[in-house]
Amino acid sequence: MNEISRYRSFQFLLLISSICLQSIPAISNDSSSTKKGKQSAAHHTSRSNTGAKVGIILLGLVAVGLFSFFLFKLWQKKKREEQYARLLKLFEEDDELEVELGLRD
């Protein structure tokens, strides 16, 4: 089950990253925005803007991944504590129940 949740988490992360990359207008090949005279300067500026945007997106994806990992570990800890509490409750001695059943006076 743990592998399934990791696979779904990876699929979700891949989906979000592809949506983010689709939304960047600088990645698309828009030849109408560049003029022949200013092509070199515009190309250099576009390339640096694209690199910055890709870097920001990657940083955001890493942050989302770390946050997801933190939430998963928190959920695991909570689940483990609940299971431990159920185990303790199962094996704890209940004096009232023993008295009701007549096992103890």
Side-chain angles (χ1 to χ4, degrees):
M1 183 169 165
N2 193 12
E3 293 176 19
I4 294 171
S5 64
R6 285 184 185 173
Y7 181 70
R8 286 185 181 171
S9 175
F10 179 72
Q11 279 184 332
F12 179 72
L13 189 60
L14 189 62
L15 175 69
I16 294 297
S17 63
S18 65
I19 289 173
C20 289
L21 290 175
Q22 291 288 331
S23 66
I24 299 175
I27 291 178
S28 68
N29 188 11
D30 188 13
S31 61
S32 64
S33 64
T34 58
K35 303 285 184 192
K36 285 189 176 183
K38 300 179 183 177
Q39 185 176 7
S40 174
H43 184 67
H44 178 65
T45 305
S46 175
R47 188 181 307 166
S48 64
N49 285 340
T50 302
K53 288 180 183 181
V54 169
I56 290 171
I57 288 173
L58 289 177
L59 185 63
L61 289 174
V62 168
V64 167
L66 289 175
F67 184 67
S68 299
F69 179 75
F70 171 74
L71 287 178
F72 176 72
K73 287 297 184 181
L74 192 67
W75 175 79
Q76 259 187 340
K77 182 180 176 183
K78 181 181 173 186
K79 204 66 158 166
R80 191 178 319 120
E81 288 173 355
E82 289 174 358
Q83 288 178 351
Y84 185 69
R86 267 195 272 155
L87 182 68
L88 287 179
K89 186 177 179 182
L90 181 65
F91 289 108
E92 76 181 7
E93 293 184 22
D94 193 5
D95 293 335
E96 294 175 10
L97 183 60
E98 290 177 355
V99 172
E100 285 179 16
L101 294 174
L103 300 175
R104 279 180 77 192
D105 292 331

